[in-house]
C-alpha cells in the first residue's frame, strides 16, 4: 500500500481541503470513510455519535480497529466531517444544475433548503450529530464545517466577492443556516412550512440590515473619518512626510 493512497492527511489539513480533492489524493481513505459513514448513520440515530458507534460501523464495514484509526484519526468527528462535506458537495451540484432564481434572497433561501434536504430520512442521526458538534472538544471542528457549508452555498449561487463582503456574507449565512437547521430538524411536516417561514424571516432581517448599512455608507460618504479624527485628537497628528 502506498502512502498517497492510504494515509489520510492530518485533520487540520483535511479541513481546508475540498472533499473532491481529498478523494482524488487519498482514494482508499475516502472510500473507507464513506463505508464507515454509511454503516454509522443508522447506528448513530439510536446510539449517538461516539466511539462505540464508530467501532460498530467498522465491524459492519469490515474494517479492523487499526484501519479505523488510520482512516479516522480524529475518531467519530472525522465521520461527521465526511458527512457534512458530502452534503455540501451534493447540495452545490443540485443548486448549480437547477440554476438559481433571480433575486438574491430567493437564491439564498433556496440554497439553504437544498442543503438541509440532504439530511432527509436521516434526521435522527443529524440531530445527534448536531449535539455532538456542540460538545467542547468539537466546537472548533463544528465552526469550520459550518463556515465551509456557508462558503459552498455562496459559491453555488455565484458569489464572487473577494473583499470584506466575502467574510461578512459567510458569517451571516452561517448564523442563518445554523438556526434554521435546528428548526428543520425539529419539524416533522415533510413540507417544512415552519422552517420556510423562519428562514424567510431571518433572510428578511439580514436584508434589512444590509439595506441600512448601505444607506449609512451613502449618507456618511461625504463626512470626515471620525475614527481617524479621534485618533489624531488623542495621539496628535503624527509625522508629516
Amino acid at each position: 500500500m502506498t502512502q498517497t493512497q492510504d494515509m489520510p492527511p492530518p485533520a487540520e489539513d483535511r479541513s481546508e481541503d475540498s472533499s473532491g480533492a481529498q478523494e482524488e489524493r487519498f482514494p482508499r481513505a475516502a472510500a473507507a470513510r464513506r463505508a464507515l459513514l454509511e454503516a454509522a448513520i443508522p447506528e448513530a440515530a439510536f446510539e449517538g455519535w461516539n466511539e462505540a458507534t464508530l467501532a460498530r460501523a467498522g465491524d459492519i464495514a469490515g474494517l479492523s480497529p487499526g484501519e479505523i484509526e488510520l482512516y479516522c484519526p480524529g475518531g467519530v468527528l472525522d465521520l461527521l466531517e465526511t458527512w457534512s462535506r458530502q452534503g455540501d458537495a451534493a447540495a452545490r451540484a443540485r443548486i448549480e444544475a437547477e440554476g438559481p432564481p433571480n433575486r438574491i434572497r430567493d437564491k439564498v433561501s433556496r440554497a439553504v433548503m437544498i442543503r438541509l434536504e440532504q439530511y432527509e430520512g436521516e434526521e435522527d442521526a443529524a440531530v445527534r450529530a448536531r449535539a455532538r458538534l456542540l460538545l467542547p472538544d468539537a466546537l472548533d471542528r463544528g465552526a469550520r464545517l459550518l463556515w465551509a457549508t456557508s462558503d459552498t452555498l455562496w459559491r453555488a449561487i455565484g458569489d464572487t466577492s473577494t473583499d470584506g463582503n466575502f467574510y461578512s456574507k459567510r458569517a451571516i449565512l452561517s448564523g442563518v443556516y445554523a438556526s434554521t437547521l435546528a428548526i428543520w430538524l425539529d419539524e416533522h411536516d415533510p413540507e417544512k412550512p415552519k422552517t420556510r417561514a423562519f428562514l424567510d424571516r431571518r433572510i428578511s432581517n439580514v436584508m434589512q440590515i444590509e439595506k441600512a448599512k448601505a444607506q449609512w455608507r451613502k449618507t456618511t460618504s461625504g463626512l470626515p473619518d471620525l475614527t481617524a479624527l479621534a485618533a489624531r485628537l488623542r495621539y496628535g497628528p503624527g509625522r508629516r512626510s
Side-chain angles (χ1 to χ4, degrees):
M1 294 191 298
T2 66
Q3 183 175 11
T4 301
Q5 290 181 323
D6 300 308
M7 291 295 291
E12 59 270 22
D13 292 340
R14 291 200 312 275
S15 66
E16 301 301 326
D17 238 345
S18 70
S19 58
Q22 289 178 38
E23 293 190 9
E24 290 178 5
R25 293 169 57 196
F26 308 99
R28 192 183 299 271
R33 282 194 288 268
R34 287 196 301 270
L36 284 169
L37 176 62
E38 182 178 355
I41 288 175
E43 299 291 321
F46 298 97
E47 303 299 331
W49 293 91
N50 50 49
E51 296 311 307
T53 294
L54 180 59
R56 174 61 179 157
D59 290 340
I60 296 171
L63 296 175
S64 69
E67 288 175 311
I68 295 173
E69 185 175 359
L70 174 66
Y71 297 130
C72 293
V76 73
L77 294 181
D78 281 353
L79 288 191
L80 293 181
E81 177 162 345
T82 297
W83 196 14
S84 180
R85 293 186 180 276
Q86 282 185 359
D88 289 348
R92 181 170 186 173
R94 180 178 159 191
I95 293 166
E96 293 178 340
E98 293 181 2
N102 292 325
R103 294 198 309 169
I104 183 63
R105 63 176 298 147
D106 294 336
K107 291 180 181 181
V108 173
S109 178
R110 176 174 163 277
V112 169
M113 289 304 299
I114 287 175
R115 178 60 183 88
L116 294 173
E117 288 165 6
Q118 302 310 308
Y119 292 123
E120 282 186 348
E122 300 168 340
E123 289 88 349
D124 289 338
V127 168
R128 291 180 174 270
R130 180 175 177 272
R132 180 64 183 88
L133 289 171
L134 290 174
L135 294 180
D137 67 323
L139 287 177
D140 179 67
R141 178 91 65 128
R144 286 188 284 110
L145 292 178
L146 182 58
W147 181 274
T149 295
S150 177
D151 180 54
T152 296
L153 297 183
W154 274 116
R155 293 179 186 276
I157 63 176
D159 179 62
T160 58
S161 61
T162 57
D163 55 6
N165 283 333
F166 176 92
Y167 300 99
S168 64
K169 285 180 176 180
R170 283 147 182 80
I172 291 171
L173 186 56
S174 292
V176 170
Y177 177 82
S179 58
T180 307
L181 172 62
I183 304 298
W184 192 91
L185 290 173
D186 193 50
E187 185 173 14
H188 300 295
D189 187 327
E191 297 300 319
K192 304 292 183 180
K194 293 181 180 178
T195 301
R196 295 179 187 278
F198 176 84
L199 176 59
D200 187 63
R201 290 194 300 271
R202 287 299 312 271
I203 293 177
S204 293
N205 292 338
V206 170
M207 297 300 290
Q208 290 172 5
I209 293 172
E210 290 301 307
K211 186 182 297 184
K213 285 166 58 179
Q215 183 61 40
W216 171 257
R217 287 192 293 267
K218 180 179 179 181
T219 302
T220 60
S221 60
L223 297 179
D225 185 339
L226 298 181
T227 302
L229 177 59
R232 286 198 297 272
L233 289 174
R234 180 175 182 181
Y235 299 110
R239 181 180 300 174
R240 295 182 177 180
S241 56

